[in-house]
Amino acid sequence: MHAPDKPGPSPAQQRRPLIELQAIQTGYGKRPLSPPFDFTVRSGDVIVLAGPNGAGKSTLARTLMGVLPPVAGTRRAGTAARPVRFGYVPQRERLDDLWPFSVLDIALMGAVPGLGAFRPFGRARQQKALAVLAQVGIADLASSPFRSLSGGQQQRALIARALVAEPDVLVLDEPTNHLDIPGERAVYELLAQLRREEAEKAIFVITHHLESALAIATEVVVMRQGERPRIAPVDEMVASGALDDLRIARFERRAS
């Protein structure tokens, strides 16, 4: 008698773990912000981190990136031979207008960690930066002053800077703050494009603007002050009503 085939691995099992947090407590000094919890970021994930101000969203992001040590628990990210690389897009970039940085200059800043002291970028890195600017749709602005760009264009340049670092995990902190609705939509369309083109990357987005973010998400983390974070697939999280008080205006799930 033929034995039934064993089910194959689930999509989550097929994706490569990039960051694993076990019994983690985030916070500053010895003051934890939540009870212990487990959390894994895998290749291909698009994770939306939501919650009210003061819930500890940025603290969790810093712990994920290894910038802030956990109060308790363990964090694993890659190996000593191959650590996980991060690309970070801050909530709001402040650049002195006295420095006439071009868009290409901004993108090239992403290559700085891979350079030795006082070494020039070189032609190969400049070509890489130009290719990434084309990927995010602003290659024609490479020689333009960064300060002359619209808010949406500046955000694309900052995403390009993060991508030039060739990250395994792209972390964006409120990427659509101060953008109008078309600008917000354009940023999330770009992130959806990156998800399709670079499926091995994970994308981690901190946002209050949930409508567009949920349309590309695979998973949602909801943080509330003093509570264990709630972590679930996006459809399950929306169906549960756990996001209702965060004022979702609409939710349209886009096809992958």
Side-chain angles (χ1 to χ4, degrees), residues 9-254:
S10 69
Q13 290 171 325
Q14 292 173 346
R15 299 198 308 272
R16 178 169 59 98
L18 296 172
I19 309 166
E20 295 178 279
L21 304 182
Q22 294 185 333
I24 206 78
Q25 286 185 284
T26 62
Y28 292 90
K30 296 182 178 181
R31 185 173 65 88
L33 297 180
S34 74
F37 63 97
D38 297 337
F39 183 43
T40 299
V41 178
R42 295 179 174 86
S43 59
D45 281 347
V46 181
I47 298 170
V48 168
L49 178 56
N53 290 331
K57 300 186 298 295
S58 294
T59 305
L60 174 57
R62 293 188 184 105
T63 303
L64 277 174
M65 292 189 290
V67 175
L68 186 68
V71 174
T74 59
R75 170 190 178 272
R76 288 198 294 269
T79 65
R82 175 61 171 87
V84 170
R85 292 190 296 263
F86 293 90
Y88 178 62
V89 181
Q91 184 169 147
R92 188 169 178 82
E93 186 76 0
R94 298 186 182 277
L95 294 171
D96 194 329
D97 284 348
L98 293 176
W99 292 92
F101 291 116
S102 70
V103 173
L104 179 58
D105 291 333
I106 296 297
L108 281 168
M109 289 178 185
V112 169
L115 289 173
F118 307 110
R119 290 185 60 188
F121 287 110
R123 183 172 180 80
R125 284 189 171 87
Q126 291 193 33
Q127 292 301 318
K128 168 69 176 177
L130 287 168
V132 172
L133 289 175
Q135 182 182 16
V136 302
I138 55 171
D140 58 324
L141 299 174
S143 60
S144 300
F146 177 78
R147 63 191 177 197
S148 72
L149 270 54
S150 69
Q153 291 169 335
Q154 287 188 350
Q155 202 65 5
R156 285 174 179 263
L158 296 174
I159 292 172
R161 180 181 67 181
L163 291 174
V164 166
E166 299 183 338
D168 301 298
V169 183
L170 179 64
V171 180
L172 304 99
D173 191 352
E174 298 286 359
T176 58
N177 266 9
H178 315 293
L179 298 184
D180 57 15
I181 291 175
E184 175 183 333
R185 186 179 300 118
V187 167
Y188 282 107
E189 287 174 352
L190 172 58
L191 295 180
Q193 172 193 325
L194 290 174
R195 180 191 175 194
R196 293 190 299 270
E197 294 177 350
E198 303 192 40
E200 284 300 304
K201 289 191 191 319
I203 300 175
F204 190 85
V205 185
I206 305 171
T207 187
H208 287 91
H209 300 174
L210 292 174
E211 296 86 354
S212 297
L214 291 177
I216 67 167
T218 59
E219 194 169 29
V220 182
V221 180
V222 176
M223 298 193 71
R224 302 183 190 279
Q225 193 168 19
E227 298 179 10
R228 180 178 287 105
R230 182 165 182 176
I231 304 167
V234 60
D235 296 317
E236 179 182 322
M237 188 71 79
V238 172
S240 74
L243 298 171
D244 289 352
D245 65 323
L246 298 177
R247 299 182 179 181
I248 301 176
R250 64 185 182 278
F251 172 67
E252 296 179 354
R253 185 78 169 120
R254 296 178 185 170

